[in-house]
Amino acid sequence: GQQVMQIPQYQHVQEGEDFTTYCNSSTTLSNIQWYKQRPGGHPVFLIQLVKSGEVKKQKRLTFQFGEAKKNSSLHITATQTTDVGTYFCAGDVSPPGGSNYKLTFGKGTLLTVNP
Amino acid sequence: SAVISQKPSRDICQRGTSLTIQCQVDSQVTMMFWYRQQPGQSLTLIATANQGSEATYESGFVIDKFPISRPNLTFSTLTVSNMSPEDSSIYLCSVEDQGGGHGYTFGSGTRLTVV
């Protein structure tokens, strides 16, 4: 079945360093979404990418969607302690116009930041 | 975005008993999704609940174990039946935010421990 692979599983950085997490799908995605889950919290939606090669920015966060719509990345510039949490990608593999809409989540990357 | 009230937030249950988790949404939504998240792991979709029809279960999840109700467009329940310690997990409900491109909103989760 559809798989969404995400690496690394863990990343520990010093405050101020950059961080990147990568997501790969075995099939083409209709769109990809990114979520952040703080320790003890629930996933919170960050962004959705739809177009091939799309790049979106949210302050220090940069999201990219690959040309083939099978991979994506989230890059954080100059991490802060408030960035701590698990970042999940989630792919929508349903065909356009399909009714069986379903997100498949990656395993997530746990980011810890040393102040 | 939608606001979801999920309860209980946590519970400790005896094996062999059942627990019903409730999710109330502040707006009408067509589909509600139920996920399981084991500690430190990703989110696994249990089932999709549509109002007026039986829930659609993912591979590995069955109605007898996880019966779902969807009496109206703002409410759903998930029951974890005949619990065993392996059912200890976090259970989350989710809805798609309307308007497209806004991802999914999650309930705050139910942390279940079976002893």
Side-chain angles (χ1 to χ4, degrees):
Chain A
Q2 165 64 18
Q3 290 189 23
V4 175
M5 291 149 286
Q6 189 173 356
I7 58 170
Q9 189 173 0
Y10 308 98
Q11 185 77 58
H12 178 73
V13 300
Q14 289 292 126
E15 190 171 22
E17 293 182 338
D18 292 356
F19 159 77
T20 305
T21 174
Y22 301 90
C23 196
N24 285 283
S25 168
S26 55
T27 60
T28 302
L29 301 170
S30 301
N31 64 67
I32 194 156
Q33 302 177 17
W34 286 91
Y35 292 80
K36 177 182 179 181
Q37 185 174 25
R38 293 181 185 274
H42 57 275
V44 174
F45 174 74
L46 294 176
I47 209 160
Q48 175 177 282
L49 304 171
V50 178
K51 300 177 183 177
S52 170
E54 189 169 15
V55 178
K56 287 188 176 180
K57 292 191 175 185
Q58 290 179 348
K59 297 183 180 178
R60 294 178 294 103
L61 277 62
T62 301
F63 304 85
Q64 293 187 331
F65 201 11
E67 294 290 340
K69 300 183 72 172
K70 288 186 175 182
N71 58 76
S72 182
S73 65
L74 159 59
H75 179 81
I76 302 178
T77 303
T79 54
Q80 300 175 358
T81 55
T82 54
D83 295 325
V84 165
T86 301
Y87 293 84
F88 291 98
C89 60
D92 168 18
V93 302
S94 55
S99 59
N100 189 25
Y101 188 88
K102 183 173 73 172
L103 283 184
T104 299
F105 281 79
K107 291 188 180 295
T109 297
L110 173 60
L111 171 65
T112 54
V113 179
N114 197 28
Chain B
S1 57
V3 176
I4 301 176
S5 173
Q6 182 173 346
K7 55 184 179 182
S9 58
R10 60 179 64 232
D11 207 341
I12 301 174
C13 300
Q14 296 291 325
R15 67 175 66 202
T17 63
S18 298
L19 175 71
T20 296
I21 301 166
Q22 301 180 3
C23 276
Q24 178 76 50
V25 190
D26 68 343
S27 57
Q28 293 184 338
V29 292
T30 304
M31 292 188 290
M32 292 182 71
F33 303 88
W34 287 95
Y35 287 87
R36 181 172 71 185
Q37 184 178 30
Q38 293 174 317
Q41 301 297 313
S42 186
L43 287 83
T44 301
L45 182 64
I46 298 172
T48 302
N50 290 323
Q51 193 268 336
S53 63
E54 279 201 5
T56 303
Y57 288 82
E58 298 299 309
S59 175
F61 298 97
V62 295
I63 188 170
D64 289 347
K65 176 67 175 177
F66 297 101
I68 286 172
S69 79
R70 186 80 202 276
N72 57 55
L73 291 173
T74 64
F75 187 79
S76 180
T77 68
L78 170 77
T79 298
V80 186
S81 303
N82 189 25
M83 289 183 285
S84 66
E86 291 72 35
D87 295 320
S88 298
S89 190
I90 299 170
Y91 293 86
L92 300 122
C93 61
S94 176
V95 300
E96 184 180 12
D97 274 319
Q98 304 304 302
H102 301 327
Y104 287 73
T105 295
F106 285 82
S108 54
T110 297
R111 185 178 295 272
L112 170 63
T113 302
V114 184
V115 297

